[in-house]
C-alpha cells in the first residue's frame, strides 16, 4: 500500500503525539498545526489511504471513527464542532492515511475555503 505515512509512525510509537483517546481500532491526537482552539485528528489503526479506498467491509470502522469524533468533541467540552475528511490532494489531503479532523472552540463559517 505504499510508504508508511507520518501517522503510521505515530501509530507505531516511532514519533510522539499528544494523544486524547485510544482504543483497539483507532487513535485520536491533537493536530500539530491547529486551525482552531480544538483541533483533533482521529485515525484508524488499520491504514486506509483515503475515504476513496473504503469498502463495504469498512462500514463498521467508519462508523466507529465518527462515534469517536463525537466522543472526543464531548471530552473537549464542545457543543458545536466540525468533522472534516479531506479526500485527495485537490481537497487538501496531505497525509494519505485516512483521518477525521475535529475542529471547534471558535465560530466556524460556511462554506469552508
Ligand atoms: P490533511 O491536510 O487533511 O491531510 O490533514 C493532515 C493534518 O495532519 C494537518 O492538519 C497537519 O497539521 C497534521 N499533522 C501532520 N503531521 C502531524 C503530526 N506529526 N502530529 C499531529 N498532526 C500532524
Amino acid at each position: 500500500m505504499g510508504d508508511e505515512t507520518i501517522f503510521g509512525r505515530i501509530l507505531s510509537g516511532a514519533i510522539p503525539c499528544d494523544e486524547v483517546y485510544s482504543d483497539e481500532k483507532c487513535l485520536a491526537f491533537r493536530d500539530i498545526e491547529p486551525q482552531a482552539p480544538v483541533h483533533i485528528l482521529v485515525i484508524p489503526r488499520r491504514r486506509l489511504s483515503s475515504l476513496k479506498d473504503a469498502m463495504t467491509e469498512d462500514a463498521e470502522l467508519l462508523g466507529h471513527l465518527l462515534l469517536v469524533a463525537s466522543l472526543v468533541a464531548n471530552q473537549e467540552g464542545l457543543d458545536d464542532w466540525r468533522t472534516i475528511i479531506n479526500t485527495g490532494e485537490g481537497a487538501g489531503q496531505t497525509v494519505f492515511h485516512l483521518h477525521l479532523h475535529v475542529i471547534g472552540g471558535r465560530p466556524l463559517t460556511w462554506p469552508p475555503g
Side-chain angles (χ1 to χ4, degrees):
M1 193 188 282
D3 294 331
E4 191 183 27
T5 68
I6 189 98
F7 293 170
R9 300 188 68 219
I10 287 175
L11 285 166
S12 73
I15 60 168
C17 72
D18 187 355
E19 179 182 316
V20 297
Y21 176 86
S22 173
D23 66 25
E24 74 287 358
K25 291 183 186 145
C26 72
L27 177 69
F29 53 92
R30 295 189 195 283
D31 197 292
I32 205 165
E33 242 181 89
Q35 301 302 314
V38 176
H39 188 169
I40 290 168
L41 302 171
V42 183
I43 70 172
R45 292 190 180 278
R46 186 165 63 76
R47 182 179 169 198
L48 286 170
S49 291
S50 78
L51 191 57
K52 216 184 287 181
D53 295 322
M55 312 285 278
T56 307
E57 56 266 33
D58 299 314
E60 191 186 337
L61 176 63
L62 294 174
H64 183 73
L65 297 175
L66 281 173
L67 288 171
V68 170
S70 180
L71 185 151
V72 297
N74 189 47
Q75 216 169 254
E76 296 292 316
L78 298 176
D79 285 325
D80 309 295
W81 73 88
R82 188 166 290 160
T83 307
I84 297 165
I85 302 175
N86 294 323
T87 303
E89 276 174 26
Q93 186 176 5
T94 57
V95 180
F96 285 81
H97 180 127
L98 176 68
H99 51 282
L100 282 65
H101 296 257
V102 176
I103 292 176
R106 65 164 168 82
L108 298 167
T109 56
W110 190 263

